[in-house]
Amino acid sequence: MKVFVATRPVDFRKGIDGLALAVQEMFGLDPFCGAVFVFRAKRADRIKLLVWDETGMVLVHKRLEDGKFVCPQVRDSVMRISSAQMAALFEGLDWRLVRPERARRPLIAG
């Protein structure tokens, strides 16, 4: 699964349509491509995920009750993270410590 993170905070009053437009403008991507798009609030205690699931647009909003999400350095850019890193981010963990496993080559019996 492709996961893209906006490094700049967005206006959290935006809903599905506003974030879909942000995907086009900030990411330069089609919001209906099936990738997960992650947005954060200025205070970094909330994130929103936007994804097309083939039947409709899904918006997930999560607020941490204690602490803040570890967010990338604020820039005018977008970054890609692995699905394992996304899982850590969603749990409120430091996703930068997660190293995705590389595909292993099959052993050839010989």
Side-chain angles (χ1 to χ4, degrees), residues 29-53:
L29 296 170
D30 178 4
F32 301 100
C33 70
V36 176
F37 299 98
V38 182
F39 301 92
R40 73 175 185 99
K42 282 184 184 177
R43 291 181 293 184
D45 64 338
R46 294 168 289 155
I47 60 172
K48 285 187 177 182
L49 283 60
L50 185 71
V51 65
W52 173 255
D53 76 350

Side-chain angles (χ1 to χ4, degrees), residues 49-89:
L49 283 60
L50 185 71
V51 65
W52 173 255
D53 76 350
E54 300 295 325
T55 63
M57 194 62 80
V58 178
L59 178 63
V60 177
H61 182 158
K62 183 168 185 177
R63 179 184 68 203
L64 290 178
E65 292 301 320
D66 186 29
K68 295 180 183 271
F69 289 100
V70 176
C71 298
Q73 184 178 13
V74 176
R75 296 185 213 127
D76 284 335
S77 64
V78 173
M79 64 180 296
R80 187 167 172 195
I81 62 175
S82 71
S83 55
Q85 290 170 319
M86 173 60 226
L89 171 69

